[in-house]
Amino acid sequence: LEPIIQFELSKEYLDKLNEAIANSDVAFIRETMDGVNPNDITAVLEEFNPDDSKYVIDQLEREVGAEIISSLEEDTRKVFLKKFSNKEVAQFLEYLDSDDAADILNELPLQAKRDTFNHIKNEEKAEHILELLRYDEDSAGGLMAKEFIKANVNWKVKHCIEEIRRQAENVEKVYSVYVVDDRNHLLGTISLKKLLLADDDKKIEAIYNDDVISVITFVEATEVAAIIQKYDLDALPVVNVHGKLVGRITVDDIIDVITESADQERQMMAGIAEDVEEDDSLWVLTRARLPWLIIGMIGGIFGARIIGIFEGDILRLAQIAFFIPLIGATGGNVGIQSSSIIVQSLANKSVFEESTFNRLMKVLGVAIINGVVLGVIVFGISYMVMDSQDFYLAGIVAISLFLVVILASFTGTITPLILDKFDINPAIASGPFITTANDLLGLGIYFSMVHFMYPF
Amino acid sequence: LEPIIQFELSKEYLDKLNEAIANSDVAFIRETMDGVNPNDITAVLEEFNPDDSKYVIDQLEREVGAEIISSLEEDTRKVFLKKFSNKEVAQFLEYLDSDDAADILNELPLQAKRDTFNHIKNEEKAEHILELLRYDEDSAGGLMAKEFIKANVNWKVKHCIEEIRRQAENVEKVYSVYVVDDRNHLLGTISLKKLLLADDDKKIEAIYNDDVISVITFVEATEVAAIIQKYDLDALPVVNVHGKLVGRITVDDIIDVITESADQERQMMAGIAEDVEEDDSLWVLTRARLPWLIIGMIGGIFGARIIGIFEGDILRLAQIAFFIPLIGATGGNVGIQSSSIIVQSLANKSVFEESTFNRLMKVLGVAIINGVVLGVIVFGISYMVMDSQDFYLAGIVAISLFLVVILASFTGTITPLILDKFDINPAIASGPFITTANDLLGLGIYFSMVHFMYPF
């Protein structure tokens, strides 16, 4: 009993397939892959080298090949498409929706992009792709496809169904039919369900739903995702600044937007500089990780300089060095907590934004409670548990910790807000940069406190 | 020109609405909210206290009220529903899809849950909800709704369309019609598009698509999300262990699963113990943050104990204390990077898993490169920039840093893999716990190296 009914992808099959490729056993490849969902074949090909993958794809129908290529990961696809001529790539693109075709074209080097485009024979498709290439990738225009079904508000249901019959050939998922006027202004929608249940002679005008949510081409991808999520939509029509219907965004593209932005946030929080995966090469992985490690290291060197200023104090009382990790770690932890709460807030923007002042007052409240609790605990522990019961040092550690909590809360709150103002992804603030800054801030506070307050 | 065509939600409107509530101006409330999307009204009500919100909802149709309640955030809804009698809540539930109704019931206290359920009058709805309450919230059964359209494989198109007319009343979004045999086994799907374009006398048997992807009720929510994403589905039929069709999961529920798991991961990485938002109360925010801060603090105290062992060394050479932040921060950063790469890998499980041994070998490779680069840089800087050009100390710092990078890479890789084996969310490994552990590990390595290798 299989929990999921899908293509059986086993190590054994992979071995046999490998053998078939080596022996040019075309019959085996075609037979075993016949009727298999292209997305499952993609999973197989991700395991092969580009040459073998090309060999397999060449044995399949162009349409199946197109779907496979479209569902490959971008990195794999980039390498893979180099194995095909521009003409062959163009043949694949003809089978894809205009938005997927435009995305793939955008991944190609400039010259290959032009040549490939010129090889697209279907003029309507070429025109659609050309239009989509104009839009920013991260805007509604960049997300939309030109494949959708529209009906004139003056048609009758019968005519509309005939038109759908004609148009539907190119549209895999219909969702709704968009209703426009003679000048292509978006007026509303009508569902297939309603068309199916309506009298043939009814006019569309009488039965369509004029309460339609749409976006203009320049709306940002994340905002589009928020709208689709808020209204539980499966597709969203896109209009130009004149209100004319120009495209449609489907929910599957929005899932990709959401997943990608979550991945990006994870990377920023973890201090990884580019989009990498575990199976990338050593070199790519190192390149993604080293920059942030070096920044952290430079922070560490600055830390050494700060502590260096107080070398004399340490030589008199080595115990002050004991609390360096405590101060640093607390500042880092508090900062990440604060910024991640703000990042979440910014991602799910409420209609009525709190003022920055109110936000900070609240942060201050939480920080005071946390700071007092941590300060009291650390005073108790460091006074009682440490070998020498140094009342002064315990007090200074506690007060420093309190101040670090307050300050790290502020920097953790302010930084993502500022980044967001400048249209920079605020998640950077939850990454190692702020942690490092809070580390240094903490060291400065702590050692200054010791230096000026401890009765050496 | 509005970039998004939606309900105009202004501070002024909110003030007027407040006034209308105070003056019991029912006409104003009904007029201004007539035809507005319930999701927009939700945004307004999130700003009000529960009593005022109840007053507004009481003025609207029950169906609109039901949609508003369904789209409220869980926290708000919990407080809000206390203002209504169990009977009133049941009236709302009658208008909702069975899955949403079951979710809301699950949020109620046990007694209220029973009473509310008993007040549901629609017997079919009650039966559906009762069935859904049996399933684990995070499984396919917990995600599915009982509202979908099915057709017998032996029907003709004409009969099928009549049946759709009958069933469709309760099904907001149709997507596909599911084709079953006489004993309700899922056989395939047929799209509305196909039905719309087919001859009335054709048998469903001749035109349905038997290549259907489905899941069994017990499949985990995250796996369901992965399947929907992989195959770009808008709905996924759910079968029981006998292959009988029992429900349908729609893509909007999957978007919620994806968003929630991203939110959860962010919280784990940031060391926040429960699901909080910026606008939660001081107390809730503190309760969510304090536990991890205390754990970090205990780590800091342990750090103090470790450094304490080497008090004598510090008194002889205070400079060894300078590099404490550097060692700690690098260990923390490397650990988070490593674990977040594994967490991402685990989230997008490839069909062919790498063996743990191969994974670790690769991690070791990256760690050696990073460790050598960081070691060399830190040796150069600390030797040249530090006031006393201490060749030995610079060397020991560099070697310690190298070792810390290697070890933190290992702990960062192994920990999420182990957590995942025990079905614990591996994202915990990217949170403060591992960072603290790596901090301590680093301190231990560094001070031992100094103690045994430095020629005091």
Side-chain angles (χ1 to χ4, degrees), chain B residues 2 32 37 47 63 138 143 157 163 186 200 213-214 221 231 241 249 260 264 287 294 296 372 395 406 429 445 454:
Chain B
E2 276 298 298
T32 54
N37 191 307
E47 303 298 314
E63 188 175 358
D138 294 324
L143 288 173
V157 167
E163 274 293 323
L186 177 66
D200 275 3
I213 297 166
S214 65
Y231 297 103
V241 287
I249 298 169
E260 269 165 38
Q264 211 176 21
R287 202 177 53 192
I294 291 177
V372 167
I406 305 278
I445 293 172
Y454 192 81

Side-chain angles (χ1 to χ4, degrees), chain A residues 4 40 171 173 175 193 229-232 234 259 265-266 271 278 280 289 337 345 359 362, chain B residues 4 40 171 173 175 193 223 229 231-232 234 259 265-266 271 278 280 289 337 345 359 362:
Chain A
I4 309 146
D40 288 317
V171 183
K173 286 174 182 172
Y175 300 115
K193 187 175 101 183
Q229 234 174 322
K230 178 175 175 189
Y231 298 101
D232 280 347
D234 31 36
T259 312
E265 195 183 321
R266 180 198 293 124
E278 200 193 353
D280 282 332
R289 296 176 60 168
Q337 284 183 337
S345 248
R359 283 183 145 151
K362 186 156 190 186
Chain B
I4 308 145
D40 287 318
V171 184
K173 287 174 179 171
Y175 299 116
K193 186 173 102 183
E223 204 176 334
Q229 236 176 319
Y231 297 103
D232 280 346
D234 30 35
T259 311
E265 194 182 323
R266 179 198 296 122
E278 201 192 352
D280 282 332
R289 296 175 60 169
Q337 285 183 337
S345 249
R359 282 181 144 152
K362 186 155 190 187

Side-chain angles (χ1 to χ4, degrees), chain A residues 24-42:
Chain A
S24 306
D25 183 353
V26 175
F28 177 87
I29 297 173
R30 286 198 186 146
E31 245 165 60
T32 54
M33 290 195 172
D34 183 45
V36 171
N37 191 308
N39 291 295
D40 288 317
I41 303 180
T42 303

Side-chain angles (χ1 to χ4, degrees), chain A residues 16 64 89 95 114 122 124 154 181 193 217 221 232 234-235 249 258 268 304 310 324 326 369 379 407 434:
Chain A
K16 279 189 195 158
V64 176
V89 174
Y95 284 105
R114 264 187 221 146
N122 181 332
E124 194 190 6
N154 299 313
D181 66 12
K193 187 175 101 183
T217 48
D232 280 347
D234 31 36
I249 298 169
I258 295 172
M268 288 187 167
F310 304 95
I324 296 174
L326 173 70
I369 303 177
F379 179 80
L407 277 168
I434 293 302

Side-chain angles (χ1 to χ4, degrees), chain A residues 165-176:
Chain A
R165 206 183 296 265
R166 210 180 55 78
Q167 296 177 32
E169 201 186 313
N170 304 312
V171 183
E172 202 196 337
K173 286 174 182 172
V174 173
Y175 300 115
S176 286

Side-chain angles (χ1 to χ4, degrees), chain A residues 23-94:
Chain A
N23 302 332
S24 306
D25 183 353
V26 175
F28 177 87
I29 297 173
R30 286 198 186 146
E31 245 165 60
T32 54
M33 290 195 172
D34 183 45
V36 171
N37 191 308
N39 291 295
D40 288 317
I41 303 180
T42 303
V44 181
L45 298 192
E46 297 262 7
E47 303 297 314
F48 283 123
N49 68 48
D51 286 310
D52 288 351
S53 292
K54 177 177 166 32
Y55 185 78
V56 172
I57 294 231
D58 282 341
Q59 312 316 319
L60 304 172
E61 283 170 39
R62 272 281 180 266
E63 188 174 356
V64 176
E67 279 196 60
I68 293 171
I69 285 168
S70 166
S71 64
L72 280 172
E73 280 178 43
E74 194 180 322
D75 299 345
T76 320
R77 181 165 53 225
K78 270 186 187 165
V79 180
F80 184 51
L81 284 186
K82 287 188 188 145
K83 300 288 165 188
F84 292 89
S85 71
N86 293 331
K87 196 175 165 185
E88 284 172 312
V89 174
Q91 285 169 359
F92 289 126
L93 297 188
E94 306 243 13

